[in-house]
Amino acid sequence: MEKKIVLSGIRATGHLHLGNYYGALRNFVEMQQEYDCRYFIADYHSLTTQPEPELLNGNVRSILAEYLAAGLDPEKCMLYVQSDVPETCEIYTLLNMHAYLGELEKTVAFKEKARKQPNNVNAGLLTYPVLMAADILQHKAHFVPVGKDQLQHLEMARNFANRFNHYYGCQLLVPPYPYEAKGEPVKVPGLDGSGKMGKSEGNCIYLNDDDRTVEKKVKKAVTDMTPTEPCSPMSEPIANLFTLLRLVSDEATVTQFTDAWNDCSIRYGDLKREIAQGIIRVIAPMRERYESLYADTDYLNRVRRDGAERVRVEVRKTLDEMRHVMGIRFF
Ligand code: TRP
């Protein structure tokens, strides 16, 4: 049976953190076996905020190295950089002719960005969902792993696909659906006592943090008073620390700390030391691979070139089919 196609994209802004790892990246490594997986770094989408060129280039490089360090295997999946595949831009142009100002202006992410950067409401920002649809539809991807904030964009990609098929009386484009990961979704809490780990929240452990940085960050994590009554309910900051412990430690250790909580003998210093050691066990091998990968310009460029080459063969077909039904062809 043909494997279903899964496409995942990430914008090139800053380093990946533990939340990215447990929330998505670790699944990607497993998905490689079961699906026809394609992963890319969306550097055009990063341009909507007009980043400093060297910074953008460095961000693409570090995410590529982080993906490889975490176990994405360019032999098993297609791994590429968006801007290395010019066909996407052509598909974007074609799709733009069926994307309406009204629907683009109504997009939640667009309205938010326009509010945040009122002096830079550029056309790229407005048509962001069309470019994203081009990313997806060119692959005829069945599934896209997305967070809640991207569901609307994915719905728009579905609309664009259906609209195109309907308008031209064909079944050419495949409407994409959210990829549902198996089991409970993993939410990695932040170190600030509430919510989830996120770059904009500034409560992250990055995959390339060194051991001392991890220890320092975990040491500073928010706690409160130790319990005085046996089996007290846990406050959010403490429950968050236990969530982290469960992610990075073994069952016996978790039981040991749970018992210590229940009989009020717990010491947060010990708990934090255990969490820090657990995190270090998870990320240190990735960091080491990351460092040598990041420095290996030839290898990274080779991965980019090979990835783009394979993707271009696939998406060229979609582009040619689209052009054909639209009447863009030789006589
Ligand atoms: N908009 C996505 C984000 O900000 C990134 C992205 C761009 C994407 N194109 C995509 C994700 C295609 C999945 C598929 O997270």
Side-chain angles (χ1 to χ4, degrees):
M1 209 179 72
E2 288 262 306
K3 283 181 176 175
K4 295 271 191 204
I5 298 172
V6 176
L7 175 75
S8 164
I10 182 163
R11 258 175 316 136
T13 52
H15 288 287
L16 299 179
H17 52 74
L18 212 58
N20 297 130
Y21 180 68
Y22 282 106
L25 191 48
R26 204 178 48 154
N27 296 338
F28 293 175
V29 176
E30 286 170 20
M31 270 155 40
Q32 293 180 130
Q33 318 294 344
E34 205 175 318
Y35 294 93
D36 176 348
C37 288
R38 299 148 190 216
Y39 305 105
F40 77 102
I41 301 167
D43 54 348
Y44 283 141
H45 280 109
S46 305
L47 283 174
T48 52
T49 56
Q50 302 171 347
E52 206 267 304
E54 287 316 307
L55 182 71
L56 173 64
N57 193 261
N59 281 340
V60 173
R61 185 182 188 125
S62 57
I63 292 191
L64 183 59
E66 281 162 0
Y67 267 15
L68 292 163
L72 292 195
D73 179 352
E75 305 281 317
K76 291 193 194 138
C77 64
M78 294 185 200
L79 183 57
Y80 69 103
V81 176
Q82 184 183 36
S83 60
D84 291 338
V85 179
E87 285 77 5
T88 311
C89 289
E90 199 173 337
I91 293 178
Y92 164 66
T93 301
L94 302 180
L95 289 175
N96 263 327
M97 308 310 164
H98 293 271
Y100 295 99
L101 183 60
E103 64 186 331
L104 295 173
E105 279 176 334
K106 271 199 320 221
T107 314
V108 174
F110 171 71
K111 287 196 290 194
E112 200 164 299
K113 268 281 160 64
R115 197 171 44 76
K116 266 199 212 152
Q117 48 182 67
N119 299 320
N120 183 17
V121 186
N122 57 64
L125 212 51
L126 181 70
T127 56
Y128 185 113
V130 188
L131 180 57
M132 180 158 160
D135 292 328
I136 301 167
L137 301 180
Q138 65 182 353
H139 287 282
K140 303 192 178 177
H142 302 95
F143 300 113
V144 181
V146 285
K148 278 202 196 86
D149 62 323
Q150 296 296 314
L151 282 174
Q152 188 182 29
H153 287 154
L154 192 59
E155 185 188 349
M156 292 171 84
R158 259 191 323 273
N159 290 342
F160 295 147
N162 288 324
R163 191 180 298 162
F164 184 96
N165 289 344
H166 187 254
Y167 190 90
Y168 294 103
C170 61
Q171 291 297 320
L172 206 161
L173 298 178
V174 175
Y177 285 85
Y179 173 83
E180 311 281 353
K182 286 191 209 99
E184 281 284 296
V186 181
K187 192 183 110 184
V188 180
L191 298 170
D192 53 357
S194 72
K196 67 170 195 179
M197 193 175 281
K199 215 167 356 215
S200 42
E201 282 80 13
N203 58 10
C204 293
I205 300 217
Y206 291 99
L207 296 185
N208 67 344
D209 278 344
D210 61 32
D211 297 0
R212 266 187 51 78
T213 307
V214 172
E215 282 161 5
K216 264 200 286 195
K217 285 182 177 175
V218 176
K219 206 168 182 179
K220 277 200 285 196
V222 174
T223 51
D224 53 16
M225 309 254 284
T226 43
T228 48
E229 306 258 333
C231 303
S232 312
M234 269 182 209
S235 64
E236 195 181 357
I238 306 303
N240 284 350
L241 289 180
F242 270 88
T243 302
L244 280 171
L245 183 70
R246 275 192 293 276
L247 282 175
V248 299
S249 210
D250 55 48
E251 221 167 292
T253 312
V254 174
T255 308
Q256 181 198 324
F257 279 97
T258 310
D259 292 347
W261 167 269
N262 284 334
D263 67 18
C264 306
S265 67
I266 192 162
R267 295 211 316 242
Y268 293 145
D270 296 342
L271 176 62
K272 287 177 172 179
R273 240 184 319 275
E274 191 61 43
I275 293 170
Q277 288 317 307
I279 292 175
I280 289 168
R281 270 196 305 275
V282 172
I283 70 174
M286 279 193 272
R287 185 186 62 232
E288 277 159 33
R289 287 194 295 272
Y290 168 78
E291 275 162 10
S292 61
L293 284 160
Y294 186 89
D296 195 344
T297 305
D298 286 345
Y299 178 68
L300 292 178
N301 281 338
R302 195 158 3 106
V303 169
R304 276 182 79 155
R305 220 173 282 120
D306 292 352
E309 206 172 292
R310 289 169 59 207
V311 169
R312 292 186 67 185
V313 172
E314 294 289 312
V315 304
R316 183 77 232 173
K317 290 184 224 155
T318 311
L319 172 56
D320 285 341
E321 290 167 342
M322 288 176 77
R323 289 173 57 114
H324 187 87
V325 299
M326 294 176 96
I328 312 275
R329 49 182 137 95
F330 280 121
F331 313 117

